[in-house]
Amino acid sequence: MTLTAFAVGGLLLLAASNTLRSPSQALKAPGSTKRLGSPMAVGERQHLAGSSPLQRQAVAGPVNLAEWEPEPPVRIGHGFDIHRMTSKTDPEVRGPVIVGGVTFEDFDMGIVAHSDGDVVYHSVVDAIFGALTLPDIGTFFPDTDPRWKGAPSNVFMDEAWRQMDKRGYRISNIDVTIIAQAPRMIVRDHPLAEPGKPFDYKAEMVENVAELMGCPTSRVNVKARTHEKVDAVGEKRAISCHVVVILERKP
């Protein structure tokens, strides 16, 4: 038996036979004069996988905007940020490392950024902008603008909340993932730790994000993980963050 592969409209077709058939033979469905690549082949279904927008529009017709709500009940956005870290004596350093509004004063490295370089706040802002189909944070607050030099990132969070509120949305939930080899988000010997428990910086971050977004802390989750000593983050030369946000229409 011989297996022969043909690409049709973005689909990979396998033809099995005892002899190698030509592409025109392989493209015919058994017992049919229709080619598998035709729009109505295989049970008269309009299989549009891999087709271009023009091909889909030709079959489905133009989009009827009247059928679409101007603002859907739920919107989802994703944000990502990464910043370099280096010695506090480096002239590029803007200040101490700040994560989720928490300042790591005792950490021996500083952040390289135009503003205060808070990767959590920046990622939350970008996720909200993305959910609202707005430009990214760098468009709203370009690093070429001296007004934002060394600016605290709560200013950006305030603008994200304003845009969200103006469109009639509020936070449904925010899920934050910090990726950092250092500084540590959980410290066992921290002076503020309760007896028998490690001190968790993430709890304060949850409160900070919730306060700035005007939502209960139950709507905010902050997780953290290392990068297993891989690349710049794993070598403590950078810190990064991912955020997924769901917005819901205000009642």
Side-chain angles (χ1 to χ4, degrees):
M1 178 179 289
T2 303
L3 287 178
T4 309
F6 300 98
V8 180
L11 298 176
L12 184 65
L13 302 179
L14 292 177
S17 66
N18 291 325
T19 58
L20 179 63
R21 296 183 293 171
S22 68
S24 61
Q25 290 174 317
L27 292 175
K28 288 184 179 180
S32 171
T33 58
K34 289 189 175 181
R35 295 164 65 90
L36 294 178
S38 64
M40 299 297 289
V42 188
E44 300 299 316
R45 289 185 294 111
Q46 299 172 359
H47 191 86
L48 302 177
S51 59
S52 70
L54 287 177
Q55 289 172 319
R56 291 193 292 273
Q57 184 173 340
V59 175
V63 174
N64 183 2
L65 295 179
E67 297 177 351
W68 294 75
E69 292 185 50
E71 296 285 12
V74 172
R75 285 180 174 270
I76 301 174
H78 171 261
F80 171 76
D81 194 33
I82 184 170
H83 281 291
R84 287 193 298 122
M85 299 187 300
T86 187
S87 169
K88 287 183 176 179
T89 60
D90 192 304
E92 284 190 290
V93 167
R94 183 65 58 199
V97 174
I98 301 175
V99 185
V102 175
T103 303
F104 289 82
E105 292 282 5
D106 296 334
F107 185 48
D108 60 359
M109 303 185 79
I111 202 76
V112 178
H114 186 67
S115 63
D116 67 4
D118 190 324
V119 292
V120 169
Y121 282 6
H122 293 185
S123 298
V124 170
V125 170
D126 240 2
I128 292 174
F129 285 168
L132 296 171
T133 62
L134 294 173
D136 57 53
I137 188 174
T139 303
F140 271 85
F141 307 101
D143 59 10
T144 54
D145 191 331
R147 289 181 299 169
W148 315 125
K149 186 175 182 179
S153 293
N154 63 297
V155 173
F156 311 148
M157 292 280 277
D158 289 343
E159 178 61 19
W161 180 89
R162 191 183 72 82
Q163 293 289 341
M164 175 178 66
D165 183 68
K166 181 175 68 174
R167 293 276 289 275
Y169 288 95
R170 66 183 184 182
I171 295 297
S172 176
N173 75 286
I174 297 175
D175 188 30
V176 177
T177 302
I178 301 164
I179 307 171
Q181 203 71 33
R184 303 288 295 183
M185 299 296 127
I186 297 180
V187 181
R188 298 191 180 280
D189 57 351
H190 195 283
L192 296 179
E194 296 180 14
K197 294 182 179 180
F199 183 80
D200 191 347
Y201 283 106
K202 301 193 301 298
E204 185 177 350
M205 296 175 190
V206 167
E207 293 178 358
N208 292 341
V209 172
E211 181 179 358
L212 287 168
M213 291 293 104
C215 67
T217 55
S218 61
R219 299 298 183 97
V220 180
N221 185 45
V222 176
K223 311 184 302 295
R225 57 155 298 157
T226 69
H227 212 239
E228 301 296 336
K229 300 182 179 180
V230 176
D231 68 30
V233 174
E235 294 170 359
K236 304 180 184 180
R237 294 184 289 111
I239 183 171
S240 64
C241 179
H242 285 273
V243 168
V244 175
V245 64
I246 297 179
L247 308 182
E248 63 186 23
R249 292 285 290 172
K250 292 189 294 185

